[in-house]
């Protein structure tokens, strides 16, 4: 059975916004983030594919200034929000680790990886 984690009320995640969350797999804590990309909910592990560090500077900012992509604040890698594919930067061609995001009873929930 797949586990899901409540992240935030749907109203707290309008287009262009992100929210971070922590989850555990086999007792190890990981950070993820959910985003509303132009009306579509997406969620990813918050780890750059170039070097395993968070994409943001702990400031919950993942989108490029134009809101069209995610950006790694450290290395400048650009990721497509819809599929996590790295479009440019030191890890071009790699992908963020995606999780399924959904809304249940007005709450954003993320399906977590299997333990």
């Amino acid at each position: 059975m797949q586990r899901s984690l409540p992240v935030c009320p749907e109203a707290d995640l309008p287009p262009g916004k992100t929210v971070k969350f922590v989850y555990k797999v086999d007792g190890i804590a990981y950070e993820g983030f959910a985003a509303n990309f132009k009306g579509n909910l997406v969620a990813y592990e918050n780890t750059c594919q170039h070097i395993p560090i968070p994409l943001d500077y702990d400031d919950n900012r993942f989108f490029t200034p134009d809101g069209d992509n995610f950006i790694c604040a450290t290395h400048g890698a650009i990721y497509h929000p819809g599929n996590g594919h790295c479009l440019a930067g030191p890890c071009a061609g790699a992908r963020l680790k995606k999780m399924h995001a959904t809304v249940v009873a007005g709450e954003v929930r993320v399906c977590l990886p299997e333990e």
Side-chain angles (χ1 to χ4, degrees):
M1 180 174 184
Q2 188 145 21
R3 304 174 301 142
S4 72
L5 176 74
V7 174
C8 68
E10 181 180 18
D12 290 355
L13 199 57
K17 296 295 180 183
T18 57
V19 63
K20 295 192 294 188
F21 56 91
V22 175
Y23 63 98
K24 288 187 177 185
V25 176
D26 295 329
I28 300 170
Y30 295 89
E31 186 173 82
F33 69 99
N36 186 327
F37 174 59
K38 300 181 179 181
N40 297 306
L41 293 179
V42 296
Y44 295 96
E45 182 179 296
N46 186 13
T47 304
C48 182
Q49 296 304 291
H50 173 226
I51 295 175
I53 59 172
L55 292 174
D56 67 324
Y57 281 136
D58 199 33
D59 59 4
N60 199 38
R61 290 189 299 169
F62 293 87
F63 282 106
T64 54
D66 62 10
D68 287 340
N69 294 292
F70 297 139
I71 186 167
C72 175
T74 302
H75 306 107
I78 303 292
Y79 296 92
H80 187 279
N83 59 22
H85 186 249
C86 184
L87 304 171
C91 52
R95 288 184 188 270
L96 296 174
K97 293 180 184 174
K98 190 170 187 167
M99 292 179 264
H100 179 71
T102 189
V103 175
V104 177
E107 180 176 64
V108 176
R109 297 187 71 86
V110 173
C111 294
L112 301 176
E114 297 289 331
E115 288 202 68

